[in-house]
Amino acid sequence: MMPPSSSPATTAASEHPHEQFEDEALMQELGLTARGVQLARQDGRVFLRFSGSVPYAGQQVAYDLVPEQGVLAKSSKWRKMDVATRSQTLRERAGEAVADTLRAAVAAFVVELAEACADCDIDATPFLDALASMQISEPASMVFDRLRQRLEHAVERDMEEQHAERTRQSINLAEYPASFDTARRIKRRLIAVLGPTNSGKTHMAIEALAKAPSGVYLAPLRLLALENYERLQGMQVRGKPLAVSLVTGEERRLVPGATHVASTVEMLDTRTEVDVAVIDEIQMLGDRDRGAAWTAAVCGAPAHTVYLVGAPEARRAIEVLAARLECELEVHVLKRKGPLSLEPTAVRKLSNLRRGDAVICFSRREVLMWRDMVTELGLSVATVYGNLSPEVRRAQAQRFRDGTADVVVGTDAIAMGLNMPIARIVMTTSVKYNGYEEEEIPAALARQIAGRAGRYGVHEEGLVAGYDNQTHNVMRSLLKEKPVPIKTSGFAVAPTLEHLHRISSVTQEQSLARLLKRFVHNIDVPDGFFYPRITEEQFERAAWLDTLELSVAEKFALSLVPISSKVPSLQRAWEHWAKSLAAKQITGLKALQAPLHYLSLQEVEDACRLYSAYAWLAYRQPEYFPDTELAQQLSRQASERVDALLHEQNSAARKRQPKRFRR
């Protein structure tokens, strides 16, 4: 859009002065100029523009618009017309009737727009002024449509600002700790037990938990919850075994009269008061995707004494959290019970691997490749990676513990929760995919993995080595790095269903994606101490779920189902469950058509994950997903088959080798 002083007509005149002079003379001869009609050129077209005004509310609203038949011809065609043809065209397109029709259309539109603005409590003046200032070559009806769209967008912006303000007023993250009613009523004491791997910190906290009349253990993984559930079951206090329940997203083992619970951190019961709570791996407060669960646990654990167990780099974060929560804090810093040393040189050759080694990779494919290479030496192998169920990982770890397996080959899954008598950690690489790109592992992860070597009471020291020279040197540097403390502000807070319902009640919004977006962008974050977080996967799922007839609560539950969207068969199953719930159809669980022993290792692993995800959903929507027990049964069967397959593949590889390589 060009200002009048440099209008397209003026530009065209400089290019074709003789033609322009003839047109001006013709317009004056026909009396059009005196009636407020101009001949203009723009966008390669020649058209008529009518100026005038219409009365509204005691004022005159000016306009400068092109009538519906106001475009006369393309510029090139107009230049080829003789004067008589141009004159005839102008008489037909610029008569009084055309002007009257345009004036009536403008008057009607002015009333329409002004009333619409009044209904929305928006000033109509800028919109009405645009009737004289838009200066475009499109007919008036197109201008009217553009102004209607402008008003619609203005209304949307105004509504958005109102909703954003209402959202800010409805949720103030500074008040987040106060949302946990039970914890708020209790005078809580925090005890931080910090130290490296193999420092005995978890043992210290679990001992205190077992001696308490009641308590809860909160784990980052189902595997850890399961391990400590069994550990607590085997403990006695005052001559009596503890009554312990297990609660994870996918499984419940509820014991009548249980005084203790082993649980995953996301499954914390914030309403049932206990004497002691143990929050394990407290440094996960700084985790990009899951840190919100630890924030909620520290703020909401309903225990008189809360043990915070983890790495020393969490100390400062714990201190500021304790101050914010107005809780007494006691800090114990433990040292590793046995030395940890880097080997003088890299391993370099497969034949230099030995019994008691843990070979570390960072993908399932690499784990299986290294497993095959190690078994070809004649060594038996236990295999551990994240895709395996907790039951399989535990069974594989037990083979290494009891000596059935000589070497464990695994991912960094061994760094959290699996206690094995590892003599030496051998890193095959120091590079890991972080979900976006390949990058060098952080020093904290390197220390946590390396710390698994040298089990106290089994080995005098732990050893660490890189397989190749480069990895060996990187590990040397990483282990020397000073730990970086986790951040002391911006503690992640994930939305709860209560949060979303609160936002929905003040905005009338039912779209899960928009509710999540409002939670992230519009709630009140006065000092940034607590900060809203959602995962990218949850947001992507929410957008798809919004296409279905589901309640906010149903969409929210489905957005959190622990199932991989990267595996097509699992994604299809999740979509089927969502569509079935939208249709209010009861969805039972069926075993796979092919028997498990006909399936590949990957297929059985995926089946195991599918059954676990169904169980997770069944606990939250039992009316429509009733086969909880069957899901757990099938999951156990699939886990047993995965373990058997790993064992079979290991044995088959060893049998292919000459006897001189076998132990």
Side-chain angles (χ1 to χ4, degrees):
M1 186 171 69
M2 302 177 69
S5 61
S6 59
S7 68
T10 304
T11 303
S14 65
E15 294 174 353
H16 306 281
H18 180 69
E19 176 189 320
Q20 184 68 20
F21 177 78
E22 288 182 347
D23 286 343
E24 289 175 357
L26 186 58
M27 293 287 288
Q28 289 177 358
E29 179 185 331
L30 296 173
L32 298 180
T33 304
R35 287 170 39 209
V37 182
Q38 292 179 317
L39 190 66
R41 291 172 175 79
Q42 187 176 339
D43 303 327
R45 295 184 289 185
V46 177
F47 56 93
L48 295 169
R49 193 186 298 281
F50 284 57
S51 298
S53 64
V54 295
Y56 181 76
Q59 297 181 346
Q60 291 293 317
V61 178
Y63 64 87
D64 186 7
L65 299 167
V66 179
E68 291 308 301
Q69 301 299 318
V71 178
L72 304 180
K74 290 183 179 179
S75 298
S76 57
K77 184 177 180 181
W78 181 261
R79 283 195 296 272
K80 294 176 182 178
M81 290 183 186
D82 56 30
V83 174
T85 304
R86 292 182 187 178
S87 178
Q88 180 62 30
T89 302
L90 288 170
R91 286 191 180 95
E92 292 173 355
R93 302 287 186 90
E96 290 285 354
V98 173
D100 291 344
T101 300
L102 177 61
R103 187 178 297 107
V106 173
F109 177 73
V110 166
V111 172
E112 172 199 332
L113 191 71
E115 290 179 349
C117 287
D119 290 341
C120 302
D121 196 24
I122 291 177
D123 182 11
T125 303
F127 300 96
L128 297 178
D129 287 348
L131 291 171
S133 63
M134 286 188 71
Q135 297 288 307
I136 60 176
S137 63
E138 295 171 340
S141 60
M142 302 284 286
V143 174
F144 298 161
D145 285 342
R146 286 195 180 193
L147 292 177
R148 289 185 185 104
Q149 288 179 352
R150 284 190 187 180
L151 176 58
E152 185 178 327
H153 293 159
V155 171
E156 289 175 356
R157 285 195 301 273
D158 186 60
M159 189 64 70
E160 175 64 26
E161 290 174 2
Q162 291 181 35
H163 286 172
E165 180 57 31
R166 290 171 185 168
T167 300
R168 274 190 289 275
Q169 292 173 0
S170 68
I171 300 175
N172 182 344
L173 274 198
E175 300 169 355
Y176 177 66
S179 65
F180 299 97
D181 292 337
T182 306
R184 185 183 57 188
R185 287 189 287 100
I186 299 172
K187 182 174 175 57
R188 299 191 307 156
R189 180 169 66 113
L190 306 183
I191 300 178
V193 185
L194 309 174
T197 308
N198 268 324
S199 59
K201 56 186 182 294
T202 304
H203 175 78
M204 175 179 172
I206 291 292
E207 286 289 321
L209 176 62
K211 292 175 182 176
S214 62
V216 58
Y217 167 78
L218 300 171
L221 302 171
R222 288 171 59 205
L223 174 62
L224 262 178
L226 183 62
E227 277 200 351
N228 283 288
Y229 161 72
E230 294 177 343
R231 181 176 177 180
L232 288 167
Q233 276 186 319
M235 300 177 77
Q236 292 191 348
V237 177
R238 292 178 291 277
K240 293 182 179 180
L242 289 178
V244 188
S245 290
L246 174 70
V247 178
T248 70
E250 298 85 349
E251 186 177 11
R252 310 282 193 279
R253 298 184 194 176
L254 303 179
V255 175
T259 56
H260 291 68
V261 177
S263 167
T264 44
V265 68
E266 284 87 355
M267 296 303 295
L268 168 65
D269 177 0
T270 61
R271 297 178 182 175
T272 303
E273 184 176 334
V274 294
D275 292 285
V276 170
V278 174
I279 304 174
D280 210 349
E281 304 294 350
I282 190 61
Q283 72 277 2
M284 291 286 285
L285 275 167
D287 185 82
R288 179 175 54 197
D289 292 329
R290 294 185 65 202
W294 275 260
T295 304
V298 176
C299 294
H304 295 272
T305 303
V306 181
Y307 282 83
L308 308 175
V309 180
E313 50 263 36
R315 178 170 183 166
R316 183 63 188 136
I318 291 169
E319 289 172 344
V320 297
L321 266 172
R324 182 69 168 238
L325 300 173
E326 298 181 346
C327 291
E328 175 190 345
L329 175 63
E330 179 182 320
V331 179
H332 299 266
V333 179
L334 307 183
K335 293 183 178 180
R336 182 180 165 89
K337 292 192 173 183
L340 180 66
S341 305
L342 188 75
E343 290 267 50
T345 61
V347 174
R348 293 179 185 154
K349 295 190 296 184
L350 283 170
S351 58
N352 288 335
L353 292 175
R354 53 185 185 245
R355 293 188 67 200
D357 281 348
V359 178
I360 306 302
C361 319
F362 288 112
S363 73
R364 175 185 183 277
R365 182 178 63 83
E366 292 289 314
V367 166
L368 296 179
M369 181 187 76
W370 278 87
R371 177 203 63 183
D372 291 344
M373 291 192 298
V374 173
T375 53
E376 286 173 3
L377 291 174
L379 294 170
S380 59
V381 175
T383 312
V384 176
Y385 48 91
N387 201 34
L388 299 176
S389 70
E391 292 79 9
V392 176
R393 277 183 270 178
R394 186 177 57 167
Q396 289 290 307
Q398 185 57 41
R399 285 201 171 96
F400 185 73
R401 287 192 200 102
D402 63 24
T404 307
D406 302 316
V407 172
V408 59
V409 178
T411 65
D412 50 328
I414 75 161
M416 196 178 289
L418 285 172
N419 292 316
M420 292 183 285
I422 297 169
R424 180 175 65 167
I425 291 287
V426 177
M427 303 291 295
T428 63
T429 180
S430 60
V431 175
K432 180 183 179 182
Y433 183 66
N434 65 7
Y436 304 94
E437 61 183 351
E438 297 277 348
E439 68 174 5
E440 185 175 282
I441 61 173
L445 179 58
R447 283 192 300 275
Q448 192 168 21
I449 296 171
R452 288 293 165 185
R455 180 86 175 145
Y456 180 68
V458 179
H459 305 287
E460 291 185 3
E461 68 173 340
L463 299 173
V464 185
Y467 184 77
D468 57 84
N469 289 336
Q470 181 180 354
T471 303
H472 193 76
N473 291 333
V474 170
M475 286 300 294
R476 177 184 287 111
S477 298
L478 291 175
L479 294 178
K480 286 181 179 178
E481 273 190 30
K482 187 177 180 180
V484 178
I486 66 174
K487 293 191 299 183
T488 56
S489 64
F491 294 103
V493 174
T496 64
L497 184 57
E498 181 185 349
H499 286 142
L500 300 184
H501 278 158
R502 198 179 302 173
I503 297 171
S504 179
S505 69
V506 298
T507 64
Q508 310 309 310
E509 183 62 72
Q510 296 298 310
S511 160
L512 179 61
R514 287 196 286 269
L515 287 171
L516 292 174
K517 195 172 182 180
R518 289 199 183 285
F519 177 82
V520 171
H521 297 295
N522 296 150
I523 65 173
D524 193 7
V525 187
D527 60 1
F529 188 84
F530 296 108
Y531 206 78
R533 293 278 201 284
I534 61 169
T535 64
E536 186 176 329
E537 183 176 49
Q538 185 181 22
F539 187 77
E540 290 173 355
R541 286 181 170 185
W544 184 84
L545 289 167
D546 281 334
T547 65
L548 304 178
E549 291 293 326
L550 292 162
S551 68
V552 170
E554 290 168 339
K555 287 187 284 191
F556 184 61
L558 285 162
S559 75
L560 295 170
V561 175
I563 195 168
S564 175
S565 58
K566 296 178 181 178
V567 180
S569 62
L570 300 183
Q571 175 67 10
R572 286 193 298 270
W574 177 79
E575 290 178 1
H576 170 66
W577 296 338
K579 291 175 182 177
S580 298
L581 184 57
K584 297 299 177 276
Q585 294 175 348
I586 295 175
T587 306
L589 184 64
K590 296 179 181 178
L592 299 177
Q593 291 182 347
L596 289 176
H597 60 271
Y598 286 140
L599 301 180
S600 68
L601 176 62
Q602 179 70 67
E603 290 170 332
V604 185
E605 288 175 11
D606 290 344
C608 190
R609 291 197 285 174
L610 178 111
Y611 298 143
S612 291
Y614 180 96
W616 187 97
L617 189 55
Y619 277 118
R620 289 150 183 82
Q621 298 285 341
E623 181 180 355
Y624 296 104
F625 301 91
D627 293 339
T628 310
E629 292 184 6
L630 177 61
Q632 291 175 347
Q633 176 189 335
L634 293 174
S635 179
R636 284 192 293 271
Q637 291 175 0
S639 292
E640 290 169 1
R641 179 56 185 160
V642 169
D643 185 53
L645 272 171
L646 291 171
H647 187 57
E648 289 168 10
Q649 292 171 359
N650 180 25
S651 299
R654 292 186 70 210
K655 288 177 182 177
R656 290 195 296 268
Q657 299 309 308
K659 290 183 179 179
R660 60 190 172 88
F661 287 108
R662 293 188 229 150
R663 185 165 56 87

